[in-house]
Amino acid sequence: MLSLSNVDSFYGRSQALHDMTVTAPKGEILAILGRNGVGKTTLLRTILGLTDRSEGVISLDGEEISARPTHERARAGIAYVPQGRMIIPDFTIRDNILMGGFAAGGPRRIPDIVPELFPYLMDNLDRPGGVLSGGQQQQLAIARALACKPAVLLMDEPTEGIQPNIVEQIEEIIIRLNRELGLTILLVEQNVTFARRAAGSFVMVEHGTAVETGRIDLLSDDMVAKHMAI
C-alpha cells in the first residue's frame, strides 16, 4: 500500500532519516516504535513531503509519489493526525472538521462516521475548538483527517497527553478505523501493549533508520528493552 525504499530526509543540512526502508501493508496498522527523537515523526512528515527535502522512493499503491508536493499526496489519499493535534482554536468544531476536506477536493462535508465515533463533537459543532479538552481535541483532529477521505492515515502519538479515561476510547477508535473502514494506518506509538493489540506489523526506528521490522508477533520484550528503554 505505502512503501519507502532507501529514503533519506533532511531539515536544512541536517539529515534526519538514513536509508529508511519500510512497507505499510494495505489495510493494516503499522506500529512505528522507538525512543523519543529517533526520527519517527520525521518519517511521517517525509511521507507527506513536509521536510526540506528527501531522496529515495516513496510509493503509494505502486505509484511513486516522491516528487509530488504535499497537497497532491494528500489528494492521493494520505491524511495526517499530527502530534499535538494542531487544531485551529478560534475555528469552530465544524470548521476544523471541514478544513480537512480541502485536501480531498470536491464538496466539503462531515464524514458519515463522525457522528457515530464522536457524538460530543456533533452536539457542539459551533463551539470553538480551543475550548475542548485534550482528548476532545484529539477526536477533532481525527475527524478532520477523516474529512480528507483518506486511504492511509498517519497518526503521531495520538494518545499522548490525554486524560486516562479517554485514552482507551481513542485506542478503540483507531482499531475501528482500521477494521471497519479498512484504513491503512501508520501509528507512531510509545504504548507497546496497545501496539501489540492493534497492529499487524511494526518497524523499530533508531538513529533515523529502521533497525527492526516484522510481523507484530515477532516484537519481543528483548527488542523493546534494547531499542525503547531509557
Side-chain angles (χ1 to χ4, degrees), residues 20-22 30-33 201-206 209-215 218-220 222-224 226-227:
M20 177 67 74
T21 296
V22 64
L30 171 70
I32 302 170
L33 306 170
S201 56
F202 77 95
V203 55
M204 188 72 71
V205 179
E206 192 163 313
T209 195
V211 293
E212 305 277 3
T213 62
R215 304 302 297 172
L218 299 178
L219 179 63
S220 66
D222 287 344
M223 199 181 296
V224 171
K226 179 180 179 180
H227 298 294

Side-chain angles (χ1 to χ4, degrees), residues 32-208:
I32 302 170
L33 306 170
R35 297 182 181 91
N36 290 331
V38 298
K40 303 186 302 296
T41 294
T42 298
L43 172 56
L44 300 188
R45 290 177 59 83
T46 299
I47 291 168
L48 269 176
L50 293 173
T51 60
D52 291 338
R53 66 183 176 93
S54 66
E55 301 169 354
V57 177
I58 304 173
S59 298
L60 177 64
D61 275 342
E63 183 175 350
E64 186 172 351
I65 61 171
S66 312
R68 292 191 188 183
T70 296
H71 72 276
E72 289 188 9
R73 301 187 197 198
R75 191 153 294 179
I78 304 175
Y80 186 29
V81 181
Q83 189 176 27
R85 299 172 280 276
M86 295 186 184
I87 64 144
I88 299 180
D90 292 334
F91 278 23
T92 65
I93 292 171
R94 177 187 287 103
D95 288 341
N96 268 282
I97 296 173
L98 294 178
M99 186 173 60
F102 280 96
R108 289 180 291 279
R109 55 186 297 274
I110 295 175
D112 292 339
I113 196 171
V114 168
E116 180 181 350
L117 294 178
F118 309 120
Y120 178 85
L121 299 183
M122 296 303 296
D123 291 340
N124 294 274
L125 285 173
D126 294 321
R127 297 191 73 192
V131 305
L132 301 179
S133 68
Q136 291 163 346
Q137 288 188 12
Q138 186 64 70
Q139 293 177 359
L140 180 54
I142 295 171
R144 179 183 59 193
L146 293 176
C148 182
K149 303 176 184 176
V152 177
L153 190 57
L154 313 179
M155 308 190 79
D156 196 351
E157 299 202 29
T159 60
E160 181 186 41
I162 293 176
Q163 53 269 46
N165 62 315
I166 302 296
V167 167
E168 186 174 347
Q169 295 178 28
I170 297 294
E171 291 178 349
E172 291 305 318
I173 285 167
I174 293 168
I175 291 173
R176 286 188 63 185
L177 292 175
N178 169 246
R179 296 179 183 172
E180 296 180 19
L181 297 187
L183 290 181
T184 301
I185 298 176
L186 281 72
L187 175 68
V188 171
E189 185 55 69
Q190 295 288 342
N191 184 335
V192 174
T193 299
F194 173 50
R196 284 174 166 151
R197 180 164 66 94
S201 56
F202 77 95
V203 55
M204 188 72 71
V205 179
E206 192 163 313
H207 304 303

